[in-house]
Amino acid sequence: MTRISTGGLIDRSKTLRFRFDGTNYSGRPGDTLASALLANGVRLMGRSFKYHRPRGVLSAGPEEPSALVELRSGARREPNIPAPVVELFHGLEASSQNRFPSLGFDLMAVNGLLAPLFSAGFYYKTFMWPASWWEKLYEPLIRHAAGLGRAATEDDPDSYDRAHLFCDVLVVGSGPAGLAAALAAGRRGARVVLCESGPLLGGRLLAEHTEIDGMPGPAWAAATEAALRDCPGVTILRRTTVAAVFDHGSYVAVERVADHKPVPDSHEPRQRVWRIVAKRCVLAAGAFERLATFGDNDRPGVMLAGAVRTYLNRYAVLPGRAPVVATSGDDGWRTVADCVRLGIGVAAIIDRRSEITSQQRQLAEASGAQLLLGGRIARVYGGTGLYGLDVEDAAGKRQFVSTELLAVAGGWNPAVQLACHLGGKPVWSEHTQAFVPGTLPPGMSVAGAARGTFGLAAALAEGSAAGAAAADGTGFAGSAPAVPRADDAATTPAPIWFLAGGRGKAFVDFQHDVTTADIAQAQQEGFVSVEHMKRYTTHGMATDQGKTGGVAGMAAMAALTGRSMAETGTTLHRPPYTPIAIGALAGHHRGKDFRPTRRTPAHDWAAEQGASFVETGPWLRAEWFTQPGERTWLQSCTREVNAVRGGVGVCDVSTLGKIEIVGPDAGAFLDFLYINTFSTLPVGRVRYGTMLREDGFVFDDGTTARLAPDRWVMTTTTANAPRVLQHMEFVHQVLRPDWRVAFVSVTDQWAQFAVAGPRARSVIAAVLDAGFDVSDAAFPFMAAGNFTSLGGVETRLFRISFSGEQAYEIGVPSAYGDALVRKIAAAGAVPYGLEALSVMRIEKGHPAGGELNGQTTAMDLGMGRMMSSKKDFIGRAMAQRPALRDPQRPALVGLKPVKAGDRLRAGAHLLPRTATHRIENDQGWISSVAFSPSLNSWIGLGLLANGPARHGEIIRTLDPVRGGNALAEVVSPCFIDPDGVRLRG
Amino acid sequence: MVEHSAFAGAQAVTATQGGTTVRAIEPLSVVSVTAWRGQEAALADAVRATFGLDLPQAGRWTAHAGLTAIWAGPGHWWLQRGGRSALMQELAALGDHAGLIDISDARAVLRLRGPLARDILLGLLPLDLHPSVFTPGQVASTIAAHMTVQVRQLDDKPTFDLSCLRSYAGSLWRALELASAGPPRLSALSA
Amino acid sequence: MEYSFVSLLREALRGHTGWRPAWRDAAPKPAYDAVIVGGGGHGLATAYYLAKEHGLTHIAVLEKSFIGSGNAGRNTTIIRSNYLLPGNERFYEKSMQLWEGLEQDLNYNAMVSQRGVLNLYHSDSQRDQYARRGNGMRLHGVDAELLDQAGVRKLYPWLDFANARFPIKGGLLQRRGGTARHDAVVWGYARAADRLGVDIIQNCEVTGIRIEGGAVQGVETTRGYIATNKAGLAVAGNTSRVAALAGLRLPIESHVLQAFVSEGIKPMVDGVITYGAGHFYISQSDKGGLVFGGDIDGYNSYAQRGSMPVVEDVLESGMALMPRLGRLRVLRQWGGIMDMSMDGSPIIDRTPVDGLYLNAGWCYGGFKATPASGWCFAHTIARDAPHFINSELRLDRFATGALLDERGAGATPNLH
Amino acid sequence: MRIPCPHCGERGNDEFFYLGAAGLTRPAADAQPEAWHDYVYLRDNPAGKHSELWQHAHGCRRWLVVTRDTRTHAVFSAVDATP
Ligand SMILES: Cc1cc2nc3c(=O)[nH]c(=O)nc-3n(C[C@H](O)[C@H](O)[C@H](O)COP(=O)(O)OP(=O)(O)OC[C@H]3O[C@@H](n4cnc5c(N)ncnc54)[C@H](O)[C@@H]3O)c2cc1C
Ligand SMILES: NC(=O)c1ccc[n+]([C@@H]2O[C@H](COP(=O)([O-])OP(=O)(O)OC[C@H]3O[C@@H](n4cnc5c(N)ncnc54)[C@H](O)[C@@H]3O)[C@@H](O)[C@H]2O)c1
Ligand SMILES: Cc1cc2nc3c(=O)[nH]c(=O)nc-3n(C[C@H](O)[C@H](O)[C@H](O)COP(=O)(O)O)c2cc1C
Ligand SMILES: [Zn+2]
């Protein structure tokens, strides 16, 4: 637990100060939080999930299951962050989690005493009596105890970026295999993206004492990086983890742009998600050393032997005095060698084999260690920090060894995760004693340790070959790449180390506290499939997803069932490779930027008039225009309705869908789309139409005008505009491709305004350029035509009315919309909004959103007679189904409260007046309501069983969710001017 | 002024880092031209004969004497001129072979120009705009920030025209603002 | 062995050596009175209720993989009975009532947790639709509350009320709604069915359905032929494939639905919340992970994995609703194959083949249905006729037009 | 997923809108109700090769027939839906 005086990839010229659990420490640039803590003598870093066992750091990478901290504070607090991946920065703050009151003294550790009760699946078997206690008592307790860290309780203040990259070859990982692959592909001219999780390129080269092409590993990595930078097609992304593989060469990578800083620079995103599309991918993600299973294998001070080398070589930290190295193969001897080279005395070496090489014997001698061949760890001492071991030699002779560090080399698991995201199962390799990638995603190849190739020279060769082949596959051929030279003795593969016996719990999942006993119990209870075992014990389900302990659990199950590892198999690997911040995946799309906003050409004008805007789909629409003295929306709305009905008003209807249709077959096309006939409509006229879906229900409605023999303009509802266009494209391209008809959306082309009220004509006349005749005779109800306004600007005029008043819709190209609406208002029209529009359409009984809900038929809406029997049209056949023609179906009616002043509510249900309030008596519902100033009453439209035959009946409107219960009279849905005198006036 | 910008509220021209600029291109005259089935060749001939312009192939645009033709789909082009002009009348004769619809005001266009243009677009468009793949003369329509966005490369500076439905103009502006907010993503590609 | 604190204590004291398999790993017999195809929640519940309520004990559940390997083992565990249409509402409420006594009935803690399901609304028209739904629930005697913005704020003050693109205006709350532990439901039903003599046969895929004279004779499986005169299909996402073995084409498409779980954290989200202006819903599991999801991917698939756009869509929606989620991390993401019916509602019915019964069309909402689905399907199989409770979940409704289209989306599964 | 639009090139599936099975023939106006039921509601829904309609909604707006394996998502072909 000291900083080694020389070496390491840290900058000794600078000091970084940081805090852990309130104590000040210092470290060096190049350190991680874990290495800095170790260098400061801190071994206890966290508590486990269930038993609150004291935990230190096991690994030196993202596979870390134990040393999880809450990083930063306040709005930037991040729970469960593995200390070995946190780059140290000045002012870093971190604290341990899941402990009370403190890390050293955790009262919750009492759970450890109750451990026998907390066996696998204990909660499924109990907490059932009395039933009501589950939510009141048991579950709150369980919930409180569960979880590890705490989420921030404020909104995330940082921003996240999302960006796209395309390449020929994506290389995942920058160890020797990845560097060689990138270089081989880059030198051939391919576009290469190299992603490396860490801040430095080199992978294990940064952690091991190696030599390539005569250079120390880190120097070779730096030289290769420089060479890659000389290849014009190569992009290097550091601090970037490839997190997920999707279909067809789509990858997701997360770049930690600013996580190594206290806070991001101004405008800098904290992280960036890259969506990478790659023709080929070389997976060179390396391998994870696996934990060995023995009693108390989780004590702070027990570490992976490879991680110990990382701390020694990369961070110049000795994680504990007088190390003991335990190994199941040759690999642990590297740790011994590093200790010897650095002058660190080794207390003992345990090799599970009885035979070792002569070099290893020499090493053992040089290290000064006791050598125990065929030995095992019998007992681990130290709760919050290891202080000694009982070791046993092959003969069973046991002795105590004083040590602070147990470095365990139990073999490596290739990082196969990304190879499995498309469902490929890893396969057991007897040769490597590990699961290696099986069926690969199309376009992917694997090199180096990720493929189970653990030798350095072999990794380099494999990487070069894979990079060259990937480049070849994307059209960049070349001669065989020069393979860098490295001498490393081939190491024998190490089997999974399952040390039976010993005292204490043997963990196979550190974070979730799953032990071999839990696995055994799962097996006893029939949860023998690894997927069942995982789900029952939660093995491999923590943030590390079993990177170090997964295979150990499988091995335990294999041993219990007598099945081979191949038969036992592994559980499925799923994205992400390591956890990804939710904010990063969301990118900029949060808050107001969640979705884009559509504004009409009259938006600014409306805002000036005091509009209150409402979101309707992507649009913002003016709901009403508050005038001085108005305190409620109803006041504004009522004034606006009165202004229209008593004078003239203007409403922005630009959001309605507009589709311009041209061509000789346009009439036939419209006949096919609508239930009624359009081909017979004369030029200069407009007609209301209804469309069905092919299943016979109403899809949309609106008016369509014929502006010239072969030119039409259709309007749709705002909500359905995109879907109607899509439907028309389907009908044309798939069903009627021979028809000569062309159409595009002109919703955005035209700013359109409804001008309504008894004085509408005079306003229109004032707005149009001089010389046009818009008298009723020249331009009657349902006329349409081309005019000009604003001094020669092309203008479309339609005499249509949603409000029931004399009314027009007038449209100009959008750039002129602002000018036009100002002119209309100047001519005396009072602005009215969506609410007033809605009041007036309800007064007229026109169906809209509440009625066009996809569940109603044309007959339901009183439009049954519009359905032409003379032609085929979309939806005709299916509309004939018996249930759609049932006269008992709810159909459109008007509703008026019996008691003046009673308020109707949309969503209330309709029941016979005296019926009990039960669903059997439910006969319909209210679909829209409004306060009608003209009738001085709330009114509603509703759908009532057999409604049209029940005008005059008093029914009950029931709204229990708002406490409403009123009587209403069933009336015609048209409340005002049923003969249409006004609109024709 | 009678005409109103689609980008009302946003600055018309703004400089981003590294001498890269964005500005609105308006007004424009644009007509959507859709050939009747089987009339694509006749339409192309008519365009060539009348305007000396070759209708572009898929994914490309062409221009001649101030008239630009942008591919918008098979048998479908947008013919475009800068400024307001009576383009519908000018093209009327094409009506024998195609359906013509005026969309001059239906779209909003931003021109992004300068050394960081590609780097900024990495943050917006799911398209490969690498110079070996996307070059002046090309056009593509895609989804960006939940909008349909068409991108057209004009030259090697590089200059790109981005267009969206006019009602989305403010959101396209905002999306570009966000895409260019931070430091460059990759210096290599933007060079 | 009866599960209880006492039995747990006893086992704890003797080192957990006395546990027995939760269910027998049965081998197929040559013939059964009834065979249920599909060892998900629905199939196992069906077998349980056939045995418990109808006295049929010579029953097998055939599962091609391990039980719970399908959607039962991969769903986001929401249970609720807040449906609009009476044909659905009475069915889902039956399910809710069975959930409420499930643990005691099964002697297995399925962790049914009635933490409340809140559906947010963001516009007046959405509010009115929810009111219509809530009122219908109340007419059924089911709890429903319509909250205004202040009411939502009281429950979840930290949702984005300040800066939202689509402001929250209120919500429809069903307090009896909540979650249940997905795997425990499967295992609980399996164990309870097993205790009534049901054979649960894993790694046994049905590969053929033998029909003679229009009536079922038995099923071919990867573990041999099994004779039976009653076969019930409860194979969720695989419905079309298995039904095709009997020559049936169905109004069903198979689509992927993805789900996500975050790292475990201390309690943060108390109940279930669904966002009404985007595709997102969330709850927190007893283990501490935030479990969330969104819309289906929207194309036919049997691949049990999704594609990127929906991942982004879900997480954007999550951030729009809960900006404090930003620094929490997604731990795992997966997919399941949904049997999307053409009107978005399920089918529990006989089929044109005598002795062949269908339980399908669960879309993304069949977990909550598990108890009632099993209960009604058992009735339909045992009596050869639907119960009143599933009487509208008919197969012929697409022909007659008596659809149960809650959303009014029409015959387009990806819009339901 | 990436879908190779025959007009625009390969694009992410978020540019496309999915409708469902391709190759269904709309019955004649006077066809029997069974034919309509079949057309509107019944689907093969195969696990394997599936021809399906996608619209390149954010691109060329053409309806395409894409043939894809529903188990692996491998795309075999994508052609314009207009014959
Ligand atoms: C991500 C996701 C989230 C969801 N969230 C919710 C939610 O919050 N609330 C909710 O109510 N619902 C939810 N659902 C839906 C719910 O999970 C399903 O509707 C429900 O589980 C389906 O019924 P089941 O449990 O019987 O299906 P499954 O568990 O899928 O059972 C079907 C079984 O049949 C087996 N099988 C298939 N073919 C054969 C064969 N030929 N032979 C033998 N066996 C076969 C399968 O292996 C499978 O085990 C969600 C689904 C998913 C995927
Ligand atoms: N002796 C042994 O048993 C043994 C075992 C394993 C490894 N090794 C040694 O390790 C080296 C193997 O080389 P290698 O290149 O295959 O692996 P490596 O471990 O050197 O490099 C893998 C690199 O990939 C990065 N990475 C992993 N997943 C990533 C992701 N999803 N996104 C971005 N980056 C990711 C890692 O950060 C790491 O830098 C050799 O030197 C070999 O000798 C030896
Ligand atoms: C409610 C719920 C909670 C889950 N919580 C976790 C979890 O905490 N950790 C984890 O690794 N997986 C979790 N999962 C996901 C499962 O590991 C698994 O991915 C899922 O059940 C689908 O199975 P598959 O990935 O094997 O196909 C959870 C799943 C569900 C349904
Ligand atoms: Zn296209």
Side-chain angles (χ1 to χ4, degrees), chain A residues 49 75-81 98 116-117 119 123-129 131 134-135 139 143-156 158 160 162 246-247 252 270 275 421-422 512 521 524-527 529 531-532 534-536 541-543 545 572 574-576 579-583 585-586 589-592 594-597 615 617-618 693 695 697 723 853-855 881-884 906-909 917-919 922 925 958-962, chain C residues 3-5 8-9 12 16-23 66-67 73-74 84 86 103-104 107-109 111-115 124 127-128 131-132 134-136 138-140 144 146 160 163-167 169 181 183-184 187 202 263-269 275 277 284-288 292 304-309 311-313 315-317 319-320 323-335 398-403 405-411 415:
Chain A
F49 182 76
R76 288 196 167 85
R77 185 166 73 202
E78 295 152 41
N80 310 333
I81 303 296
N98 204 35
L117 285 176
S119 62
Y123 31 79
Y124 300 129
K125 296 178 183 135
T126 181
F127 302 130
M128 288 180 268
W129 306 269
W134 170 249
E135 271 136 12
E139 197 184 28
R143 283 185 170 248
H144 185 77
L148 279 168
R150 299 163 305 156
T153 55
E154 290 163 62
D155 296 355
D156 186 352
D158 289 339
Y160 298 86
R162 250 174 25 201
F246 289 100
D247 283 308
V252 172
R270 174 185 166 225
R275 275 174 78 169
H421 283 183
L422 297 190
H512 274 173
Q521 191 195 326
Q524 248 182 74
E525 295 193 63
F527 296 90
S529 136
E531 295 288 3
H532 269 159
K534 155 184 153 175
R535 287 158 173 78
Y536 194 58
M541 294 180 79
T543 57
Q545 294 280 292
L572 207 61
R574 291 280 193 179
I580 310 183
I582 289 171
L585 283 163
H589 301 284
R590 54 191 275 201
K592 293 275 190 237
F594 170 50
R595 290 291 178 265
T597 305
E615 301 74 20
R693 299 186 305 235
D695 69 354
F697 290 88
R723 285 182 56 205
N853 63 357
Q855 298 162 327
R881 284 180 290 172
L884 276 73
H909 283 236
H917 300 176
R918 295 170 55 89
I919 195 67
D922 191 14
W925 70 97
L958 205 60
D959 186 27
V961 294
R962 285 168 294 204
Chain C
Y3 289 159
S4 67
F5 188 73
L8 182 67
L9 195 61
H16 297 284
T17 50
W19 296 115
R20 294 283 157 270
W23 65 89
F66 58 93
I67 61 168
R74 57 187 68 247
L84 174 69
E103 276 97 359
Q104 289 68 30
N107 180 235
Y108 206 86
N109 190 350
M111 303 188 165
V112 174
S113 178
Q114 295 179 292
R115 331 183 57 78
D124 292 356
R127 175 200 61 210
D128 295 343
R132 180 185 163 201
N135 285 329
R138 296 279 282 264
L139 287 173
H140 274 98
L146 193 69
D160 190 353
N163 188 37
R165 170 75 179 80
F166 299 103
K169 297 202 167 162
R181 184 79 196 161
D183 286 330
W187 302 333
Q202 303 186 90
E263 57 197 315
I265 47 161
K266 293 294 175 195
M268 171 178 179
V269 182
Y275 186 30
Q284 187 165 12
S285 81
D286 281 337
K287 245 171 64 213
F292 54 96
Q304 277 197 358
R305 61 184 149 82
S307 97
M308 186 60 192
V311 176
E312 289 181 348
D313 184 55
L315 296 169
E316 288 170 3
S317 303
M319 279 300 280
R324 65 167 56 176
L325 292 183
R327 307 178 91 83
L328 289 178
R329 296 167 309 148
V330 180
L331 165 63
R332 193 170 167 101
Q333 172 255 346
W334 63 96
F398 304 91
T400 63
L403 300 160
D405 187 349
E406 293 264 333
R407 285 209 190 175
L415 299 179

Side-chain angles (χ1 to χ4, degrees), chain B residues 19-100:
Chain B
T20 303
T21 59
V22 56
R23 71 184 172 100
I25 303 297
E26 57 187 353
L28 289 169
S29 303
V30 191
V31 172
S32 156
V33 179
T34 311
W36 306 133
R37 201 173 183 200
Q39 293 283 299
E40 293 83 357
L43 174 69
D45 290 345
V47 172
R48 197 177 306 110
T50 322
F51 303 103
L53 178 72
D54 283 325
L55 282 181
Q57 299 298 307
R60 304 199 66 83
W61 60 274
T62 50
H64 180 74
L67 185 65
T68 301
I70 303 169
W71 181 85
H76 187 194
W77 291 268
W78 294 351
L79 295 191
Q80 175 173 314
R81 267 192 201 294
R84 284 218 179 262
S85 68
L87 191 57
M88 277 291 276
Q89 277 96 308
E90 195 184 341
L91 302 179
L94 303 179
D96 293 345
H97 311 294
L100 310 181

Side-chain angles (χ1 to χ4, degrees), chain C residues 95-363:
Chain C
S95 215
M96 201 48 151
Q97 289 168 8
L98 290 170
W99 283 118
E100 283 171 334
L102 194 69
E103 276 97 359
Q104 289 68 30
D105 189 19
L106 299 183
N107 180 235
Y108 206 86
N109 190 350
M111 303 188 165
V112 174
S113 178
Q114 295 179 292
R115 331 183 57 78
V117 171
L118 176 65
N119 299 311
L120 298 173
Y121 61 77
H122 307 261
S123 70
D124 292 356
S125 64
Q126 226 177 1
R127 175 200 61 210
D128 295 343
Q129 287 164 27
Y130 282 173
R132 180 185 163 201
R133 188 166 7 145
N135 285 329
M137 293 162 65
R138 296 279 282 264
L139 287 173
H140 274 98
V142 175
D143 74 305
E145 291 164 56
L146 193 69
L147 306 183
D148 58 9
Q149 199 200 55
V152 173
R153 226 184 245 273
K154 226 159 118 186
L155 288 176
Y156 299 107
W158 41 268
L159 299 179
D160 190 353
F161 292 98
N163 188 37
R165 170 75 179 80
F166 299 103
I168 296 165
K169 297 202 167 162
L172 179 67
L173 175 66
Q174 185 185 22
R175 290 193 196 267
R176 283 167 64 242
T179 56
R181 184 79 196 161
H182 55 294
D183 286 330
V185 173
V186 172
W187 302 333
Y189 271 116
R191 177 169 165 273
D194 174 90
R195 297 213 297 173
L196 295 175
V198 172
D199 277 0
I200 295 166
I201 305 167
Q202 303 186 90
N203 302 309
C204 179
E205 178 169 359
V206 170
T207 53
I209 299 177
R210 201 175 287 176
I211 298 166
E212 276 164 31
V216 166
Q217 308 300 315
V219 293
E220 318 276 358
T221 79
T222 47
R223 296 178 71 176
Y225 178 73
I226 299 174
T228 185
N229 289 318
K230 283 178 185 279
L233 307 187
V235 291
N238 279 292
T239 296
S240 296
R241 302 169 74 177
V242 182
L245 301 174
L248 300 179
R249 277 176 96 220
L250 296 174
I252 284 178
E253 287 180 4
S254 294
H255 286 251
V256 208
L257 179 69
Q258 308 185 43
F260 306 78
V261 65
S262 80
E263 57 197 315
I265 47 161
K266 293 294 175 195
M268 171 178 179
V269 182
D270 197 38
V272 179
I273 309 173
T274 71
Y275 186 30
H279 304 112
F280 182 74
Y281 60 93
I282 189 167
S283 66
Q284 187 165 12
S285 81
D286 281 337
K287 245 171 64 213
L290 299 177
V291 176
F292 54 96
D295 203 3
I296 56 174
D297 278 35
Y299 47 80
N300 286 45
S301 175
Y302 286 92
Q304 277 197 358
R305 61 184 149 82
S307 97
M308 186 60 192
V310 169
V311 176
E312 289 181 348
D313 184 55
V314 171
L315 296 169
E316 288 170 3
S317 303
M319 279 300 280
L321 183 65
M322 307 181 168
R324 65 167 56 176
L325 292 183
R327 307 178 91 83
L328 289 178
R329 296 167 309 148
V330 180
L331 165 63
R332 193 170 167 101
Q333 172 255 346
W334 63 96
I337 302 307
M338 327 301 322
D339 37 335
M340 299 298 296
S341 69
M342 285 283 175
D343 64 356
S345 291
I347 301 162
I348 301 181
D349 203 352
R350 294 179 304 192
T351 70
V353 178
D354 277 347
L356 185 66
Y357 303 88
L358 182 67
N359 174 314
W362 295 104
C363 302

